[in-house]
Each structure stands twice: as C-alpha cells, then as structure tokens.
Amino acid sequence: PARAASSGLRGGGGSAGAINAAVVGRIIRVDHAGEYGANRIYAGQMAVLGRSAVGPLIQQMWNQEKEHLKKFNELMVAYRVRPTVLLPIWNIAGFVLGAGSALLGKKGAMACTVAVEESISSHYNNQIRTLMEEDPEKYRELLQVIKQFRDEELEHHDIGLEHDAESAPAYSVLKTAIQLGCKAAIFLSERI
Amino acid sequence: VRCQLCLPQRALQASAALRRVSDEHKKEPAASSSQHQFDSHPTDHQPEQEPQGPRPSYTGQGGQESEDYESEEQLQHRILTAALEFVPEHGWSAEAIAEGAKTLGLSAAAAGMFHNDGSELVLHFVSQCNTKLSELLEQEQKLVQLGKTEKKTTDQFLRDALEARLRMLIPYIEKWPQAVSILLLPHNIPSSLSLLTSMIDDIWHYAGDQSTDFDWYTRRAVLTGIYNTTVLVMMQDSSPDFEDTWRFLENRVADAVNMDNTAKQVKSTGEALVQGLMGAVVTVSTAARALRAE
C-alpha cells in the first residue's frame, strides 16, 4: 500500500519485516504524553520554588525532561503517530500538580517527583518488556531510547529521595494519590 | 482498521472449504496433501458458486496473496474495479457490479458476493482514489527532494492536493450524491470515516505538518471540513470545468491558513505579554524589597 511505501518506518501488517504500527503508535503516544506532563509538572514546581535553594536542582531535572520531550516529538513525526487528545488537560493538570506539590514546600515537591518518576520508570519497564517480547532486533532503536530515558527517570527518583521526599507531609497518601493519577493518565493516553 | 461489513451468515460448506484452500495455499504445502486433494474440488467450480469469503478490507491493508492463486479478495477487487465503468449508468448498485462481473467473463450472479446496496463498490472506489492521491503526493515529494520542482506554500499545496482528489470524482459526479448517502449508512460509517481520516492525514503529512500538540487535531478537523463542504459545492456546480468549486476551495483554504496565522500571532503576542508582566512583577518586587531594606 502507498502508505507503507511513503514512510518506510510504518509497515502494513502483512510483511514480517515491518513494525507493528499499532503497538508502536500506542507506545509513542503515551510516552509523549508522559514527557509532556512531566515537563508541565516541573514547570509548576519551578513557578513556586524557582527562586529557592532547590531551584537549580529542579531546573536541571526539568532540562532533562525537555530533552526527552524533544526526542518523542521527533519519534512522533517519524512514525506518524497521533498525539493524545488529552494533551490540553495534561498541560493544566501537570502544572497544577507541580505547583500544588511545591506549595507544600521543598519536601512536597520532591515527594511528587519521587511518585511520578517511580510510575514512569515502571511504565517504561513494561514497555521494554513488551518490545523485547515482540522482537528486540526490530525495535532496537526504540528500545535504546526507552531504556536510556528509564535510567534518567530513575535518577530523578533517587534525587527526590535524597532530598527528603519521604519526610514530606502525608507522604504515603500523597504518593499513592499521585501514582493512581499517573496510572489513569497512562491508561487514557494510550487509547485516546 | 479492517472493514467490519458482515453479511448474515449464509453458511455454505463450499465457502468454508474455499477459505481453507486459500489459507492452505498460503502455507508451505507440507503435511495435509490428502486434504488438499479433497478440498481442491470447490476451486474448480469457483466462478459458478457464490463464495461467502472474508469481506474485502478498504482501509489500505492488502491481503496476503500467493502469486499463482488469486485470493477471493483480489477477485472481489477486480470485479469492483470493472464495475466502476457502469456506475454512471446504473449508479452505485448491484446492477453495476453485475455488469462489471460480466465484463470479466463471470456470471452476473457473482454480484451476490456483495451487499446489494452498493456499499462495497463505493468504499472500493474511495479507497482507490485515496491510494492514487497518496501515490501522487509521494511522487511530488520525490520531485521536490530531487530539486526538480519548487516547494509549494502550504495553502497552495492543500489546494492542489484537494483539487487533485476531487477531480477523481468528476466522472461519477452525477451519481455522487448517492455515493455520499451510502457512505453515511450506519454500517458503513466506521469504514468511510477511517478512509476520510487517513486521506486527510496523508495530505497534511505530505504538506509537511509536524505538529505534536493539539494543532494536530485542529488542522485535520479544519481540512476535513473544507473537503466535505467543497464536495457539497461540487455536486451542485454547473460551471465549466467546475471553476466555481476550485474558487470556493481556494477561498476556504485561504481562510483556514489565515486563521492559523492569526492564531499563531495571538499566541506569540500573548506569550510576549505574559513575559512582560512577569518581568514587571519581578522588577517591582525587587525595587520594593530594596526600598524596605533602606
């Protein structure tokens, strides 16, 4: 079909060498939404804590998320994947979550970071498993990107823990609530 | 997205056997050679029977066919392509399909393979047009990449792509209202919607759209609107070579691109304003702090 020919990265379901467009589409859509959301969360945190002592640290983590988003923007265009309709919602929700957690102080912000990065890392791990089960060779480039990003998200998670995330007010409640939200966001962004 | 047309299950043993045979022809003829012998009978009588095979898919995915055996899907596509010639006379109907089947040397009863509301014929035609359009746009892109043609502006590109696609309707324009009503039948909506969205997505892709935010949706929605309204205008256009339609199209595309530019301007002005405001706030608060410190 002309579509498969026009963009060599997408293939019809027929040939063995072509990628599974549906699976890859979902993966890129949800990852793009995740990085977009993470960007907004750090933006919210910076808006409140930007000029505090922890500001440079948050800025550094934010910069890495910006890199991640840039990469997924490229992959999205390359694989011709549509973004999730819910992006405007994640835009606002992410900012509100970031600013809200930062208003609880530095520890609140770190707790939010820990919760979100833990969710994202386990989500990336699931994707890595899925792709490995399909065909590690075919998806080598994508796997590399996801593995690298997962490692960087884990770093953020550890930084959060180092900076007293666990002594945040209502840490376990906060963490559970945020992770539930992340699960819902992931579920929806894969589909819509 | 596969076409979800379902005829009521008129279960013919022959059809099941035929499907098995076509499946087996795709695999290596390894073990079941004796079954092969038994099942190959129905294929000899294929043209006279009415096989109820899998519905052809219209959403761009070809079936898996081995070279020497024509699958049911390929046969159905051939019949539908042949039937197009008879559409101006018989409309999008089983009669046109029957005539098409006859030109291929098959019995008119082969039209029984299809719905009698002409759905498959219309969907087949639309899918064919979309494929032709994609090929056209692909070739044009290659020419631009090789430097043989100038890259068009967005509005020029959209206009030309839509005009090229709409011109494919000209031979059938008398019967196009009937086609539209068929495409809007509830059981055809999933397929027709899928064909429409993939066509619009293709046009934007070749136009160079790289949006990864909500713009992706607004652009496609706007272009879909332009396409649909232009089709309506075209069906009532009696000017020579449809000049009125192309002028309408030009104006709508210009409007859309204008809106897009205005929206961008509003956005950047808004962002500049916000930056200015934040700067002002910081300046004032710093000054106030300095004053208090004195």
Side-chain angles (χ1 to χ4, degrees):
Chain A
R3 282 196 97 188
S6 67
S7 55
L9 290 165
R10 273 175 120 225
S15 44
I19 60 164
N20 185 337
V23 165
V24 170
R26 265 192 174 190
I27 287 181
I28 293 184
R29 178 164 48 252
V30 73
D31 289 351
H32 174 263
E35 296 299 346
Y36 184 82
N39 249 281
R40 297 301 294 155
I41 292 177
Y42 284 121
Q45 291 187 344
M46 279 303 283
V48 175
L49 292 173
R51 245 156 283 138
S52 73
V54 78
L57 181 64
I58 301 181
Q59 180 67 48
Q60 189 192 338
M61 293 197 283
W62 189 13
N63 290 341
Q64 270 187 315
E65 300 296 350
K66 286 185 193 166
E67 285 302 312
H68 291 187
L69 182 61
K70 199 162 128 225
K71 182 66 186 172
F72 275 116
N73 280 337
E74 288 166 15
L75 288 175
M76 188 162 251
V77 172
Y79 285 88
R80 285 180 69 175
V81 177
R82 72 172 172 87
T84 164
V85 209
L86 303 169
L87 278 181
I89 301 185
W90 303 148
N91 186 351
I92 302 180
F95 192 88
V96 165
L97 175 61
S101 63
L103 285 172
L104 295 173
K106 160 201 162 199
K107 297 181 187 152
M110 290 298 143
C112 170
T113 301
V114 167
V116 170
E117 300 295 8
E118 193 176 300
S119 282
I120 289 192
S121 315
S122 90
H123 160 73
Y124 277 153
N125 276 333
N126 288 340
Q127 291 187 336
I128 292 172
R129 264 190 284 274
T130 307
L131 290 176
M132 295 289 274
E133 277 166 13
E134 284 255 338
D135 186 342
E137 265 319 295
K138 217 194 286 181
Y139 301 110
R140 190 153 31 106
E141 191 218 335
L142 194 54
L143 272 170
Q144 215 174 350
V145 169
I146 298 182
K147 279 183 191 164
Q148 182 199 333
F149 288 7
R150 179 217 39 203
D151 293 341
E152 288 171 6
E153 306 293 2
L154 278 174
E155 267 174 36
H156 294 180
H157 171 264
D158 295 341
I159 291 176
L161 284 178
E162 277 167 34
H163 286 80
D164 310 321
E166 282 162 331
S167 1
Y171 173 68
S172 46
V173 176
L174 203 59
K175 182 161 176 246
T176 318
I178 292 176
Q179 291 192 324
L180 221 70
C182 286
K183 277 208 188 80
I186 290 174
F187 179 85
L188 289 173
S189 301
E190 274 180 342
R191 290 157 181 80
I192 323 183
Chain B
V1 176
R2 288 194 71 82
C3 181
Q4 302 271 330
L5 299 178
C6 288
L7 264 188
Q9 285 290 326
R10 294 186 257 170
L12 289 174
Q13 288 213 329
S15 70
L18 241 142
R19 220 174 305 153
R20 240 180 300 138
V21 173
S22 60
D23 282 346
E24 277 167 3
H25 271 271
K26 290 167 199 166
K27 303 191 287 231
E28 246 76 41
S32 49
S33 54
S34 55
Q35 230 200 341
H36 243 265
Q37 303 288 339
F38 179 73
D39 286 349
S40 65
H41 253 297
T43 35
D44 300 337
H45 303 296
Q46 187 185 353
E48 283 136 45
Q49 285 178 339
E50 292 164 20
Q52 310 300 312
R55 298 268 75 82
S57 90
Y58 298 102
T59 47
Q61 308 280 334
Q64 287 154 312
E65 286 101 25
S66 60
E67 287 160 10
D68 46 351
Y69 180 77
E70 185 189 48
S71 78
E72 217 167 302
E73 199 167 319
Q74 275 179 325
L75 176 67
Q76 286 175 334
H77 280 297
R78 275 207 306 141
I79 294 178
L80 292 175
T81 306
L84 288 177
E85 174 188 345
F86 300 95
V87 165
E89 192 187 331
H90 296 280
W92 305 91
S93 61
E95 286 85 44
I97 299 179
E99 294 295 321
K102 287 205 289 218
T103 63
L104 293 178
L106 301 168
S107 130
M113 266 196 270
F114 307 97
H115 261 117
N116 44 15
D117 59 5
S119 296
E120 284 101 333
L121 188 53
V122 182
L123 290 170
H124 171 82
F125 173 68
V126 172
S127 171
Q128 231 182 19
C129 288
N130 290 354
T131 309
K132 266 193 265 183
L133 180 67
S134 296
E135 285 168 4
L136 229 97
L137 294 177
E138 174 75 31
Q139 278 170 4
E140 196 182 312
Q141 188 185 58
K142 285 210 176 82
L143 287 177
V144 171
Q145 280 172 349
L146 294 173
K148 294 199 177 140
T149 7
E150 283 294 305
K151 187 172 192 306
K152 294 182 188 164
T153 58
T154 308
D155 59 329
Q156 183 69 47
F157 183 92
L158 296 176
R159 253 168 53 204
D160 290 346
L162 283 178
E163 184 179 329
R165 176 63 178 76
L166 288 167
R167 279 191 180 274
M168 299 180 198
L169 300 179
I170 293 181
Y172 309 95
I173 197 70
E174 299 285 312
K175 302 287 183 184
W176 197 249
Q178 183 198 7
V180 172
S181 64
I182 292 176
L183 288 171
L184 290 173
L185 289 173
H187 66 89
N188 287 332
I189 294 220
S191 315
S192 65
L193 209 55
S194 164
L195 284 168
L196 181 61
T197 52
S198 66
M199 172 193 64
I200 297 286
D201 183 48
D202 258 357
I203 295 181
W204 267 120
H205 167 76
Y206 286 106
D209 175 41
Q210 301 210 327
S211 41
T212 52
D213 54 4
F214 203 74
D215 273 358
W216 191 96
Y217 289 92
T218 40
R219 286 181 179 183
R220 280 154 184 74
V222 165
L223 197 60
T224 309
I226 296 178
Y227 174 78
N228 285 332
T229 47
T230 312
V231 168
L232 290 175
V233 165
M234 194 173 171
M235 291 196 287
Q236 298 167 37
D237 188 2
S238 50
S239 62
D241 192 36
F242 297 92
E243 320 174 317
D244 289 349
T245 305
W246 311 136
R247 204 168 323 126
F248 176 84
L249 177 61
E250 181 178 343
N251 290 335
R252 298 290 76 71
V253 170
D255 286 345
V257 172
N258 245 345
M259 258 198 305
D260 200 38
N261 287 338
T262 314
K264 280 200 193 88
Q265 283 176 349
V266 166
K267 192 166 164 206
S268 58
T269 310
E271 278 168 2
L273 272 174
V274 168
Q275 299 278 37
L277 235 81
M278 302 258 283
V281 165
V282 170
T283 314
V284 166
S285 62
T286 321
R289 221 177 299 144
L291 280 173
R292 230 179 294 134
E294 276 175 18

